[in-house]
Amino acid sequence: MTNSTNGAAGLQLALAWGFVGIPLLWGVTQTIINATALFH
Amino acid sequence: MSYATTTPSDGGGLLSRSRSVAKPGFNRWMVPPAALCIHLCIGQAYALSVFNLPMTKLIGITAAAPDDWKLTELGWIFSIAIFVLGASAAIFGRWVEEGGPRRAMFTAGLCWAAGFFISAIGVYVHNLWIVYLGYGVFGGIGLGLGYISPVSTLIKWFPDRPGMATGMAIMGFGGGAMIASPLSVFLMKQFSTPTHVGVQEAFIGLGLVYLAFMWVGAAIVRVPPPGWAPEGYTPPVKAQKLVTKNDVFVYDALKTPQFWLIWAVLCLNVTAGIGVLGQASAMTQEMFPGRVTPVAAAGFVGLLSLFNMGGRFFWASISDFIGRKWTYFCFFVLGTALYAIVPWTGTIGSITGFVLCFLIIISMYGGGFATVPAYLRDMFGTRYVGAIHGWLITAWSAAGVFGPVLVNYIRQFQIDNGVAKAQAYNTTMYIMAGLLVVGFFCNLAVKAVHERFHMTSDVEEAQASVAVVGEPAGV
């Protein structure tokens, strides 16, 4: 197997990481917003 | 990447190991998202406390009624779940290892979602025992299976960076609470009415979302074919003292002093962190009375979650370069120093110093969890690392009891003896520092596993014939 990914494999990879990355990013953003209260 | 041409077959179904062997062209970077699908969901356990207050007002709605559940009774839900997590990881570890990650992830999703659905019934009929059974027992099994299911697969896909790979997955467990907390609040808000708090609907919603998410993870996970190795990767020729090239059978690993030393290392590192995590909000407000508001304290808890998550990836990745033993060496030396400094930050009134100390401590708490699978792999080989990791998770269950008990009871003892609340945590901090010193010596005592515990080829063949078909050979 080579590391070179064709378009479909690249899309699959992007979808998989987006599937977990977007909720995680949302959660991290919410946490940071709440944490800013500590510095007010 | 190079592949062997044989494709094993164990005659299993859709969830079997042989049906989840990667085909040529599969990108190994698809495996971390599959693992994250599981860990981001089960990480909800850290956010269970958002349901505590609403569940004390299921009857009274605006305030607790006499028949409403008490906070102390609700606290048992988490304790049971963490206990069952450790027990199920130990009991089913070999089943997970031998059946492959897909079957384990699928089952973990089923149990985890069932935990929420059964708990929703418990809330609906207002019977706490049903919630204990649901979230505590079924959810706990889902936690245990889910936690260990992707670990050995990741180690096999990333023999060049095992710490980073497992760190990525276990980071998800830390991040899961950050998603679950606002999501749970959102769901309860959507379903609450003036006569109803919306907890059971939120449980059903979470159960459905988690079931879908975890089954997506089970669908995309793959195991490497026999003989697979990343392209250009050659295992180190020079023998490393603390990285074995041999495998140790799961039950033989339990007979080694190394297993129990690492068990103690994890238990002590977790005990030091877990007690603080649970009490962080109250601790900041009591150590800095009038200067830290409840809202600011909640912000501090959020920051701790962030560093807990980030530490998992950071420290586990670092361990690939400096070695596992040195990584834990950092945890214990730095942790001891920081715990010893914390009371001083309270005395001089430095909130910044206090916050910084705990952020680093919590990053190492998370780092301890994330680095330990690679530590086990270094000691016992890749073959049964998942099952051995399952047994090691019992250290977490033990720490889950020791940590909060130490912090809560020592604080109460101090207050009962006339110590001011602002200074009531000082003794606890010194005890935590002492625990980390013990951990330091346990880690120091870890040496390579004696060769009499190594699996011989005869034993491996016998094990393989009754267990794993298509297991990657010497990845």
Side-chain angles (χ1 to χ4, degrees):
Chain A
M1 186 190 291
T2 65
N3 258 332
S4 61
T5 51
N6 57 29
L11 181 68
Q12 219 175 30
L13 203 62
L15 282 174
W17 278 100
F19 190 66
V20 291
I22 292 167
L24 183 59
L25 205 63
W26 176 73
V28 169
T29 310
Q30 295 295 315
T31 305
I32 292 172
I33 291 168
N34 293 334
T36 51
L38 183 64
F39 303 102
H40 285 163
Chain B
M1 298 175 192
S2 59
Y3 274 77
T5 50
T6 53
T7 304
S9 168
D10 56 4
L14 196 64
L15 302 176
S16 68
R17 175 182 280 273
S18 63
R19 291 283 291 270
S20 54
V21 174
K23 290 185 169 55
F26 181 79
N27 190 320
R28 65 173 174 164
W29 287 95
M30 285 291 286
V31 182
L36 279 167
C37 280
I38 303 296
H39 275 247
L40 283 174
C41 293
I42 59 175
Q44 183 277 343
Y46 277 144
L48 183 66
S49 59
V50 297
F51 288 106
N52 280 354
L53 217 54
M55 286 211 287
T56 58
K57 295 188 285 189
L58 291 170
I59 297 171
I61 310 296
T62 51
D67 286 340
D68 262 317
W69 296 331
K70 309 281 180 293
L71 265 179
T72 44
E73 296 171 324
L74 292 170
W76 281 103
I77 303 171
F78 182 76
S79 302
I80 295 169
I82 293 295
F83 174 79
V84 176
L85 179 158
S88 60
I91 294 166
F92 299 118
R94 194 177 168 195
W95 178 82
V96 169
E97 192 65 56
E98 293 174 351
R102 184 175 287 168
R103 186 177 72 177
M105 287 176 171
F106 179 87
T107 314
L110 206 61
C111 290
W112 186 235
F116 280 97
F117 299 148
I118 294 169
S119 297
I121 296 170
V123 170
Y124 180 70
V125 299
H126 205 261
N127 185 328
L128 193 54
W129 288 99
I130 298 177
V131 182
Y132 289 157
L133 175 74
Y135 195 96
V137 178
F138 279 85
I141 295 172
L143 278 170
L145 291 181
Y147 193 87
I148 61 171
S149 58
V151 167
S152 74
T153 304
L154 281 164
I155 287 176
K156 284 162 190 164
W157 275 114
F158 291 86
D160 45 342
R161 300 286 301 278
M164 180 209 69
T166 53
M168 248 189 288
I170 292 173
M171 174 187 78
F173 196 87
M178 292 187 209
I179 301 169
S181 186
L183 181 62
S184 306
V185 172
F186 170 79
L187 286 172
M188 280 191 285
K189 208 172 163 186
Q190 293 301 308
F191 292 108
S192 68
T193 64
T195 57
H196 181 69
V197 286
V199 172
Q200 71 247 36
E201 290 86 351
F203 274 170
I204 292 169
L206 286 176
L208 288 171
V209 170
Y210 289 147
L211 185 67
F213 233 81
M214 290 168 84
W215 280 3
V216 167
I220 61 178
V221 76
R222 296 286 185 277
V223 292
W228 178 88
E231 199 172 70
Y233 172 71
T234 45
V237 182
K238 194 181 157 199
Q240 290 172 278
K241 236 167 84 178
L242 285 175
V243 183
T244 185
K245 287 181 175 175
N246 298 286
D247 293 314
V248 178
F249 184 54
V250 53
Y251 298 122
D252 288 333
L254 303 185
K255 296 173 192 161
T256 63
Q258 285 81 2
F259 175 84
W260 294 104
L261 285 168
I262 297 174
W263 191 96
V265 160
L266 182 68
C267 184
L268 292 164
N269 190 55
V270 175
T271 300
I274 208 166
V276 172
L277 261 182
Q279 296 299 323
S281 173
M283 198 189 298
T284 43
Q285 292 174 72
E286 289 184 352
M287 282 186 77
F288 302 98
R291 292 179 60 197
V292 177
T293 62
V295 176
F300 174 57
V301 176
L303 271 184
L304 287 179
S305 312
L306 211 57
F307 275 73
N308 178 13
M309 183 186 83
R312 289 167 191 247
F313 182 69
F314 174 79
W315 288 108
S317 301
I318 290 283
S319 77
D320 285 333
F321 297 100
I322 66 172
R324 320 308 161 195
K325 196 169 176 174
W326 279 100
T327 307
Y328 278 95
F329 178 81
C330 292
F331 294 165
F332 291 125
V333 171
L334 204 55
T336 304
L338 290 170
Y339 266 118
I341 289 172
V342 166
W344 175 71
T345 63
T347 308
I348 64 166
S350 170
I351 298 177
T352 310
F354 175 89
V355 169
L356 277 176
C357 282
F358 273 113
L359 292 183
I360 299 170
I361 287 170
I362 288 303
S363 82
M364 297 189 295
Y365 161 81
F369 277 118
T371 309
V372 89
Y375 207 167
L376 294 176
R377 173 261 202 188
D378 291 353
M379 289 288 126
F380 305 108
T382 53
R383 180 134 190 192
Y384 282 98
V385 68
I388 299 167
H389 186 225
W391 278 97
L392 195 83
I393 293 301
T394 53
W396 182 5
S397 295
V401 177
F402 294 146
V405 165
L406 271 176
V407 173
N408 295 338
Y409 282 85
I410 295 170
R411 172 191 168 275
Q412 198 55 48
F413 179 79
Q414 297 277 96
I415 290 171
D416 291 347
N417 284 280
V419 177
K421 275 188 177 178
Q423 277 90 46
Y425 293 97
N426 291 3
T427 307
T428 313
M429 297 301 128
Y430 294 131
I431 290 175
M432 295 294 179
L435 289 179
L436 292 178
V437 171
V438 178
F440 172 86
F441 285 107
C442 290
N443 186 48
L444 199 67
V446 174
K447 307 275 185 256
V449 173
H450 193 279
E451 59 186 30
R452 73 189 157 95
F453 291 108
H454 294 164
M455 290 172 81
T456 61
S457 52
D458 289 349
V459 174
E460 286 194 43
E461 277 171 24
Q463 294 294 345
S465 67
V466 295
V468 187
V469 180
E471 176 76 13
V475 174

